[in-house]
């Protein structure tokens, strides 16, 4: 009898041990899944990706116009925007043809045909967005996010986000896009994840 009871207890211990291991594996898997979903939703972490050599070639030009528009502290942010927009490979590397500061080329996608002029306009427009967002410096990420989303959507988003939500969030970026799609009768509007997409390349 004692021998049988001992065997049963040993079997129960093994079963409990096995159940515990399976449970831990399941919890670990869930944590990984949730983490991956969050990572995709955020568009990855700040500064976890490198700037391309094509963008690096524009550093001198970026610095020249950054100095003109009092943006020297934001040179890495300009590079991050260029990386997201074009990776430095088009005639309009800052993709700012539709911007209000473009006075020399058609205000349509790809309208600017001079890369240096694109940098000038892009830096000027980014400076305008940062000013509207009341950004205090290159480490003020929450307001940089607001400025970046405005760079993509248009500066009107910044004013709207301030007035209706007190700043930027992923949720109100989506809300604004859906509102604009309904207003214009289109199936898309900008990049709802533009801010986190740019910040992947932003090294402070």
């Amino acid at each position: 009898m004692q021998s049988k009871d001992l065997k049963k207890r040993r079997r129960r211990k093994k079963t409990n041990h096995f159940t515990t291991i399976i449970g831990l594996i399941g919890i670990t898997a869930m944590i990984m899944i949730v983490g991956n979903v969050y990572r995709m939703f955020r568009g990855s972490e700040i500064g976890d990706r490198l700037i391309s050599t094509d963008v690096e070639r524009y550093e001198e030009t970026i610095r020249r116009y950054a100095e003109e528009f009092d943006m020297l502290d934001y040179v890495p942010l300009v590079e991050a925007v260029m990386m997201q927009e074009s990776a430095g490979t088009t005639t309009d590397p800052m993709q700012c043809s539709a911007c209000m500061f473009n006075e020399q080329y058609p205000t349509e996608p790809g309208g600017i045909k001079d890369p240096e002029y694109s940098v000038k306009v892009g830096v000027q427009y980014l400076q305008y967005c940062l000013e509207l967002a009341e950004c205090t410096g290159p480490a003020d990420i929450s307001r940089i996010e607001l400025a970046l989303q405005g760079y993509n959507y248009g500066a009107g988003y910044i004013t709207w986000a301030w007035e209706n939500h007190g700043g930027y969030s992923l949720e109100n970026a989506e809300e604004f896009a859906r509102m604009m799609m309904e207003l214009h009768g289109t199936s898309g509007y900008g990049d709802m994840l533009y801010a986190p997409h740019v910040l992947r390349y932003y090294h402070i």
Side-chain angles (χ1 to χ4, degrees), residues 46-198:
I46 292 175
D48 73 345
R49 301 196 184 186
L50 299 176
I51 297 298
S52 71
T53 54
D54 288 311
V55 171
E56 287 175 346
R57 292 191 187 103
Y58 282 100
E59 185 172 356
E60 184 180 339
T61 304
I62 290 171
R63 286 190 174 277
R64 184 163 70 253
Y65 289 113
E67 185 172 11
E68 180 178 338
F69 295 109
D70 195 24
M71 286 277 286
L72 280 174
D73 288 342
Y74 294 97
V75 167
L77 185 62
V78 176
E79 292 176 336
V81 169
M82 184 186 289
M83 188 66 196
Q84 175 61 25
E85 290 289 352
S86 69
T89 61
T90 71
T91 57
D92 182 12
M94 295 297 288
Q95 295 292 294
C96 54
S97 295
C99 165
M100 68 179 85
F101 297 109
N102 173 22
E103 298 176 343
Q104 295 184 20
Y105 292 88
T107 53
E108 59 188 29
I112 293 177
K113 303 301 180 184
D114 178 357
E116 183 167 334
Y117 183 69
S118 174
V119 173
K120 178 182 179 180
V121 172
V123 170
Q124 188 177 7
Y125 188 54
L126 184 57
Q127 189 275 337
Y128 176 71
C129 290
L130 288 166
E131 190 175 84
L132 273 184
E134 301 179 13
C135 187
T136 61
D140 189 356
I141 299 300
S142 63
R143 294 185 184 183
I144 284 175
E145 288 176 321
L146 178 60
L148 289 173
Q149 201 63 51
Y151 186 95
N152 180 253
Y153 279 171
Y157 163 77
I158 299 174
T159 304
W160 174 88
W162 269 132
E163 292 177 352
N164 292 278
H165 299 282
Y168 166 86
S169 72
L170 288 167
E171 291 77 14
N172 72 47
E174 181 178 352
E175 179 186 345
F176 187 85
R178 296 193 183 285
M179 185 173 66
M180 290 296 105
M181 284 188 278
E182 184 176 343
L183 179 65
H184 298 293
T186 59
S187 59
Y189 187 85
D191 177 2
M192 297 179 191
L193 292 172
Y194 186 78
H197 282 163
V198 171

